[in-house]
Amino acid sequence: MIIGEYNTARPGIKLKEYGRNVQKIVDYIRTIPDKEKRTELAYTLIELIKQLTPTLKEQPENPQRLWDDLYIIADFNLDVNSPYPVPEPEVLFKKPMRVTYPQSEVRYKHYGKNIERLVNEAMKLKDPQEKEDAVIYLGKLMKTFYGNWNKETLDDSVIIKDLKILSGGALSMDIDKVREDNLFEKLYRERKKPRPQGGSGNGNGNHNNSSSNNSNNSNNNRNQNQRPFNKNRHNNPHRRREQ
């Protein structure tokens, strides 16, 4: 007397998302000699699959996909009057084309390939002010990307040196001007831990807050005066130069 049956002794399931019972019904439909009866049961099985598979309700309705799956379960050996053409196994199981990996080399991986593309666009600028704005914007990006890569602060002189190398000496800026105005400040600040409330009561906290506010206001005014780098700006001959 056989009490139970192990799955290892059963034949494999073609499509596991539909379960073994659906495959048994398909095998039964194939044994029916009457084609009209097979077709009727196939339509009934399609409706049953829709009810037994909750994931089909979340996806856009595609009846042809269910019929294709039905032929896959039947190992493409099912003679019924299908409303759709019988799929070809070579088409359904065709492997996608292999996507080629980019072979171009990146000189500085911590900056990325897009920085090199922006440098090439900045080198095309003719207006000195636009080129200076582009250098400032590139410096901010390079300092930000390097901080994300190494979690360290990069000196402005290194950024200027790397920018000269990437542009072949076409893009540069005075290091004293960069440091004095903090032109290569990161595009975003790291989130700092909140300071504990309260203080010693000696009045130093108010003085520090006032100094911090003045510094933030000056940085905001400087950032507003700096114009972001736009590679398409030099293509507009009617643009009025900002004063």
Side-chain angles (χ1 to χ4, degrees):
M1 179 178 179
I2 300 177
I3 299 177
E5 184 182 5
Y6 291 101
N7 286 333
T8 54
R10 298 176 178 178
I13 304 177
K14 297 293 183 180
L15 296 178
K16 296 182 179 180
E17 59 266 29
Y18 298 130
R20 186 176 297 278
N21 290 330
V22 171
Q23 182 164 316
K24 288 182 178 180
I25 296 175
V26 173
D27 294 338
Y28 169 73
I29 294 175
R30 291 170 56 187
T31 61
I32 298 176
D34 185 14
K35 185 175 182 179
E36 296 297 331
K37 185 64 175 180
R38 289 197 305 267
T39 302
E40 181 182 352
L41 292 178
Y43 274 93
T44 303
L45 180 57
I46 290 295
E47 297 299 325
L48 180 63
I49 290 176
K50 293 179 181 180
Q51 298 179 14
L52 296 177
T53 310
T55 56
L56 295 177
K57 299 179 181 179
E58 302 174 358
Q59 302 174 357
E61 187 176 357
N62 186 5
Q64 184 174 0
R65 176 198 166 188
L66 296 179
W67 282 94
D68 292 345
D69 291 344
L70 190 64
Y71 279 103
I72 293 175
I73 296 174
D75 201 14
F76 298 93
N77 184 16
L78 181 63
D79 185 15
V80 295
N81 296 324
S82 173
Y84 303 98
V86 180
E88 298 180 2
E90 295 79 9
V91 176
L92 289 180
F93 300 108
K94 183 180 179 180
K95 294 183 178 180
M97 297 179 61
R98 185 175 182 180
V99 180
T100 58
Y101 193 81
Q103 301 296 328
S104 58
E105 296 183 359
V106 182
R107 189 178 185 91
Y108 299 109
K109 293 184 178 180
H110 46 268
Y111 296 142
K113 187 67 178 178
N114 289 332
I115 287 292
E116 297 183 6
R117 295 190 178 101
L118 289 177
V119 168
N120 294 333
E121 293 295 331
M123 292 170 58
K124 301 176 183 178
L125 298 176
K126 303 299 182 181
D127 187 275
Q129 184 61 43
E130 288 186 351
K131 184 172 291 188
E132 181 178 334
D133 293 341
V135 171
I136 295 174
Y137 184 72
L138 285 169
K140 291 176 179 290
L141 281 178
M142 294 165 70
K143 195 167 189 176
T144 303
F145 291 166
Y146 184 88
N148 294 338
W149 180 278
N150 289 328
K151 304 300 180 183
E152 297 178 357
T153 302
L154 186 64
D155 189 75
D156 295 338
S157 61
V158 179
I159 296 178
I160 294 178
K161 182 189 69 174
D162 295 342
L163 194 56
K164 283 183 179 180
I165 295 175
L166 292 174
S167 63
L171 302 177
S172 181
M173 183 170 285
D174 183 54
I175 183 60
D176 294 332
K177 180 180 180 180
V178 173
R179 289 174 175 172
E180 180 180 358
D181 297 334
N182 195 19
L183 297 179
F184 289 171
E185 184 181 5
K186 288 185 178 181
L187 293 178
Y188 61 88
R189 294 182 179 272
E190 297 179 359
R191 181 178 297 180
K192 297 181 179 180
K193 296 181 179 180
R195 298 179 60 182
Q197 297 181 356
S200 58
N202 56 5
N204 292 333
N206 294 333
H207 177 71
N208 291 335
N209 290 335
S210 178
S211 300
S212 177
N213 292 333
N214 293 334
S215 177
N216 291 333
N217 290 334
S218 61
N219 289 334
N220 291 333
N221 293 333
R222 183 170 60 252
N223 292 333
Q224 291 177 359
N225 293 331
Q226 294 174 0
R227 295 174 296 175
F229 167 46
N230 186 347
K231 66 180 183 179
N232 296 322
R233 292 177 62 183
H234 65 283
N235 294 329
N236 188 358
H238 301 291
R239 181 184 61 83
R240 297 181 58 186
R241 181 173 178 181
E242 299 180 6
Q243 299 297 329

